[in-house]
Amino acid sequence: MSKRLGIIVDGEGDFASFRRRFPNGCKVLKTDGPRGHTASIREIASKARKQILMLVAFKCDKVIVVLDFENRATSYSDFVNNLICEFQNIACTIPVNIAVPNRMIENWYLADIEFLSKHRTFLRDGLKQKTYEGRDGKRELKRLMKKNISYSETKHGPELFEILRFDVARTNSNSFNAFLSYLNDCIIA
Protein backbone atom coordinates (compact mmCIF):
# COMPACT_ATOMS: atom_id res chain seq x y z
CA MET A 1 0.00 0.00 0.00
CA SER A 2 1.35 3.42 -0.95
CA LYS A 3 1.89 6.02 1.72
CA ARG A 4 1.40 9.78 1.51
CA LEU A 5 4.73 11.47 2.13
CA GLY A 6 5.57 14.64 4.03
CA ILE A 7 8.97 16.29 3.69
CA ILE A 8 10.42 18.96 5.98
CA VAL A 9 13.29 20.97 4.49
CA ASP A 10 15.69 23.73 5.52
CA GLY A 11 15.50 26.88 3.46
CA GLU A 12 13.80 28.52 0.52
CA GLY A 13 16.01 26.84 -2.09
CA ASP A 14 15.37 23.33 -0.76
CA PHE A 15 11.66 24.13 -0.43
CA ALA A 16 11.45 25.32 -4.05
CA SER A 17 13.39 22.28 -5.31
CA PHE A 18 11.27 19.70 -3.51
CA ARG A 19 8.01 21.43 -4.47
CA ARG A 20 9.08 21.44 -8.13
CA ARG A 21 10.14 17.78 -8.13
CA PHE A 22 7.19 16.46 -6.11
CA PRO A 23 4.17 18.63 -7.01
CA ASN A 24 1.58 15.91 -6.32
CA GLY A 25 1.08 13.36 -3.58
CA CYS A 26 3.73 14.89 -1.36
CA LYS A 27 3.43 17.71 1.16
CA VAL A 28 6.57 19.82 1.56
CA LEU A 29 7.04 22.15 4.53
CA LYS A 30 9.87 24.51 5.37
CA THR A 31 11.12 24.35 8.92
CA ASP A 32 10.75 27.33 11.18
CA GLY A 33 13.22 25.91 13.66
CA PRO A 34 16.98 26.31 13.91
CA ARG A 35 18.96 24.43 11.30
CA GLY A 36 22.28 26.20 10.87
CA HIS A 37 25.52 24.37 11.59
CA THR A 38 25.46 25.69 15.16
CA ALA A 39 21.97 24.37 16.01
CA SER A 40 22.00 21.46 18.44
CA ILE A 41 20.57 18.10 17.48
CA ARG A 42 18.08 18.34 20.34
CA GLU A 43 16.87 21.76 19.10
CA ILE A 44 16.51 20.51 15.55
CA ALA A 45 14.39 17.53 16.60
CA SER A 46 12.20 19.36 19.10
CA LYS A 47 11.50 22.26 16.74
CA ALA A 48 10.61 19.85 13.90
CA ARG A 49 7.81 18.36 16.00
CA LYS A 50 5.45 21.23 15.03
CA GLN A 51 5.89 20.53 11.30
CA ILE A 52 5.55 16.78 11.89
CA LEU A 53 2.20 17.38 13.61
CA MET A 54 1.14 19.57 10.68
CA LEU A 55 2.00 16.75 8.27
CA VAL A 56 -0.07 14.34 10.36
CA ALA A 57 -2.98 16.79 10.01
CA PHE A 58 -2.38 16.79 6.23
CA LYS A 59 -2.90 12.99 6.35
CA CYS A 60 0.73 12.07 5.70
CA ASP A 61 1.68 8.55 6.68
CA LYS A 62 5.42 9.13 6.75
CA VAL A 63 7.84 12.07 7.10
CA ILE A 64 11.35 12.67 5.84
CA VAL A 65 13.28 15.47 7.52
CA VAL A 66 15.93 16.77 5.11
CA LEU A 67 18.67 18.99 6.50
CA ASP A 68 22.16 19.87 5.41
CA PHE A 69 25.26 18.66 7.21
CA GLU A 70 27.15 21.84 6.29
CA ASN A 71 30.32 22.46 8.34
CA ARG A 72 29.40 20.82 11.60
CA ALA A 73 32.04 20.11 14.22
CA THR A 74 31.38 16.35 14.20
CA SER A 75 31.66 13.57 11.66
CA TYR A 76 28.92 13.11 9.10
CA SER A 77 28.04 9.61 10.32
CA ASP A 78 27.93 10.69 13.99
CA PHE A 79 25.68 13.61 13.09
CA VAL A 80 23.24 11.40 11.16
CA ASN A 81 23.19 8.69 13.84
CA ASN A 82 22.67 11.21 16.64
CA LEU A 83 19.82 12.85 14.69
CA ILE A 84 18.14 9.48 14.20
CA CYS A 85 18.37 8.75 17.92
CA GLU A 86 17.05 12.19 18.87
CA PHE A 87 14.08 11.94 16.51
CA GLN A 88 13.23 8.56 18.04
CA ASN A 89 12.91 10.35 21.38
CA ILE A 90 10.22 12.78 20.24
CA ALA A 91 6.72 11.35 20.32
CA CYS A 92 5.40 10.96 16.78
CA THR A 93 2.42 8.99 15.55
CA ILE A 94 3.97 8.36 12.12
CA PRO A 95 7.43 7.18 11.02
CA VAL A 96 10.02 9.95 10.74
CA ASN A 97 13.14 9.38 8.63
CA ILE A 98 16.20 11.60 8.45
CA ALA A 99 18.01 12.44 5.19
CA VAL A 100 21.15 14.53 5.35
CA PRO A 101 22.90 15.70 2.18
CA ASN A 102 26.65 15.48 2.66
CA ARG A 103 27.16 18.62 2.90
CA MET A 104 24.26 20.42 1.25
CA ILE A 105 21.51 19.79 -1.28
CA GLU A 106 23.78 21.06 -4.05
CA ASN A 107 25.84 17.90 -3.54
CA TRP A 108 22.80 15.93 -4.69
CA TYR A 109 22.54 18.03 -7.86
CA LEU A 110 26.24 17.47 -8.50
CA ALA A 111 25.68 13.70 -8.33
CA ASP A 112 24.32 13.90 -11.92
CA ILE A 113 26.17 17.01 -13.13
CA GLU A 114 27.31 15.50 -16.43
CA PHE A 115 23.68 15.01 -17.50
CA LEU A 116 22.49 18.30 -16.02
CA SER A 117 25.18 20.23 -17.91
CA LYS A 118 23.76 18.89 -21.18
CA HIS A 119 20.22 20.06 -20.32
CA ARG A 120 20.63 23.33 -18.43
CA THR A 121 22.10 26.25 -20.37
CA PHE A 122 23.34 28.05 -17.26
CA LEU A 123 25.89 25.27 -16.62
CA ARG A 124 29.19 24.99 -18.47
CA ASP A 125 29.12 22.52 -21.34
CA GLY A 126 30.87 19.17 -21.34
CA LEU A 127 31.13 18.62 -17.62
CA LYS A 128 32.34 15.18 -16.56
CA GLN A 129 30.92 13.29 -13.62
CA LYS A 130 33.02 12.93 -10.51
CA THR A 131 32.36 12.49 -6.82
CA TYR A 132 31.28 15.59 -4.92
CA GLU A 133 30.05 13.94 -1.73
CA GLY A 134 31.39 15.74 1.33
CA ARG A 135 32.63 18.77 -0.60
CA ASP A 136 31.25 22.30 -0.42
CA GLY A 137 28.54 21.64 -3.00
CA LYS A 138 27.43 25.24 -3.38
CA ARG A 139 30.97 26.43 -4.09
CA GLU A 140 31.50 23.56 -6.56
CA LEU A 141 28.25 24.33 -8.37
CA LYS A 142 29.07 28.05 -8.58
CA ARG A 143 32.38 27.10 -10.17
CA LEU A 144 30.52 25.06 -12.83
CA MET A 145 28.17 27.86 -13.85
CA LYS A 146 28.74 29.66 -17.14
CA LYS A 147 30.57 32.96 -17.03
CA ASN A 148 28.47 35.92 -15.84
CA ILE A 149 25.81 33.66 -14.26
CA SER A 150 25.46 33.65 -10.49
CA TYR A 151 23.98 30.57 -8.86
CA SER A 152 20.59 31.12 -7.21
CA GLU A 153 19.33 28.44 -4.83
CA THR A 154 15.68 29.33 -5.52
CA LYS A 155 15.99 29.69 -9.31
CA HIS A 156 18.62 27.19 -10.44
CA GLY A 157 18.21 24.59 -7.69
CA PRO A 158 14.64 23.64 -8.70
CA GLU A 159 15.62 23.57 -12.38
CA LEU A 160 18.37 21.08 -11.57
CA PHE A 161 16.43 18.93 -9.12
CA GLU A 162 13.42 18.53 -11.42
CA ILE A 163 15.47 16.66 -14.06
CA LEU A 164 18.02 14.98 -11.80
CA ARG A 165 18.16 11.30 -12.72
CA PHE A 166 17.61 9.55 -9.41
CA ASP A 167 19.04 6.23 -10.58
CA VAL A 168 22.32 7.88 -11.58
CA ALA A 169 22.55 10.34 -8.67
CA ARG A 170 22.11 7.56 -6.12
CA THR A 171 25.22 5.82 -7.44
CA ASN A 172 27.28 9.01 -7.04
CA SER A 173 25.96 10.09 -3.64
CA ASN A 174 25.51 7.82 -0.65
CA SER A 175 23.51 10.50 1.13
CA PHE A 176 21.11 10.81 -1.82
CA ASN A 177 20.80 7.04 -1.98
CA ALA A 178 19.79 7.06 1.70
CA PHE A 179 17.10 9.66 0.94
CA LEU A 180 15.76 7.59 -1.95
CA SER A 181 15.53 4.48 0.23
CA TYR A 182 12.81 6.28 2.23
CA LEU A 183 10.69 6.87 -0.90
CA ASN A 184 10.18 3.22 -1.79
CA ASP A 185 6.54 2.91 -0.72
CA CYS A 186 5.36 6.52 -1.01
CA ILE A 187 3.08 8.30 -3.43
CA ILE A 188 5.23 10.69 -5.43
CA ALA A 189 5.07 12.24 -8.87
Side-chain angles (χ1 to χ4, degrees):
M1 184 169 123
S2 293
K3 295 180 178 181
R4 182 163 166 80
L5 177 64
I7 300 177
I8 302 170
V9 299
D10 273 343
E12 292 296 329
D14 296 12
F15 181 73
S17 292
F18 277 90
R19 292 282 309 258
R20 172 88 58 98
R21 183 65 190 237
F22 303 118
N24 304 308
C26 180
K27 183 68 177 172
V28 181
L29 298 178
K30 189 172 78 66
T31 186
D32 62 359
R35 288 291 184 86
H37 67 277
T38 60
S40 75
I41 289 173
R42 178 165 284 141
E43 274 184 307
I44 292 168
S46 67
K47 296 291 184 179
R49 193 167 192 287
K50 175 182 158 188
Q51 280 81 26
I52 293 168
L53 292 173
M54 290 171 66
L55 291 169
V56 169
F58 285 125
K59 308 284 188 235
C60 292
D61 303 295
K62 182 178 186 176
V63 173
I64 302 174
V65 177
V66 179
L67 66 147
D68 295 339
F69 177 60
E70 297 179 8
N71 296 317
R72 298 189 190 267
T74 185
S75 73
Y76 176 80
S77 60
D78 284 349
F79 178 68
V80 173
N81 290 332
N82 290 335
L83 269 173
I84 291 168
C85 289
E86 194 63 40
F87 271 90
Q88 289 172 347
N89 291 334
I90 63 172
C92 298
T93 58
I94 59 176
V96 177
N97 299 110
I98 310 302
V100 181
N102 188 0
R103 296 174 37 184
M104 52 199 65
I105 195 170
E106 285 81 6
N107 292 80
W108 289 358
Y109 309 154
L110 290 164
D112 194 19
I113 196 66
E114 186 171 335
F115 174 79
L116 296 176
S117 73
K118 293 174 185 172
H119 297 280
R120 292 296 182 241
T121 58
F122 51 83
L123 290 170
R124 291 190 345 228
D125 297 323
L127 296 176
K128 297 296 178 201
Q129 191 63 57
K130 59 184 184 179
T131 301
Y132 292 95
E133 194 85 341
R135 293 183 175 186
D136 184 328
K138 197 172 295 176
R139 183 176 55 214
E140 294 286 340
L141 193 54
K142 287 177 180 180
R143 194 176 58 75
L144 300 176
M145 302 291 281
K146 285 188 176 168
K147 190 174 182 171
N148 299 323
I149 297 178
S150 297
Y151 173 66
S152 165
E153 293 178 45
T154 56
K155 179 184 184 311
H156 299 116
E159 291 179 28
L160 295 170
F161 198 50
E162 80 175 324
I163 65 166
L164 183 76
R165 298 175 303 171
F166 283 7
D167 59 329
V168 172
R170 79 181 320 151
T171 65
N172 293 315
S173 170
N174 290 333
S175 63
F176 188 64
N177 187 49
F179 166 73
L180 290 179
S181 71
Y182 301 132
L183 298 181
N184 61 355
D185 60 349
C186 294
I187 301 169
I188 55 173

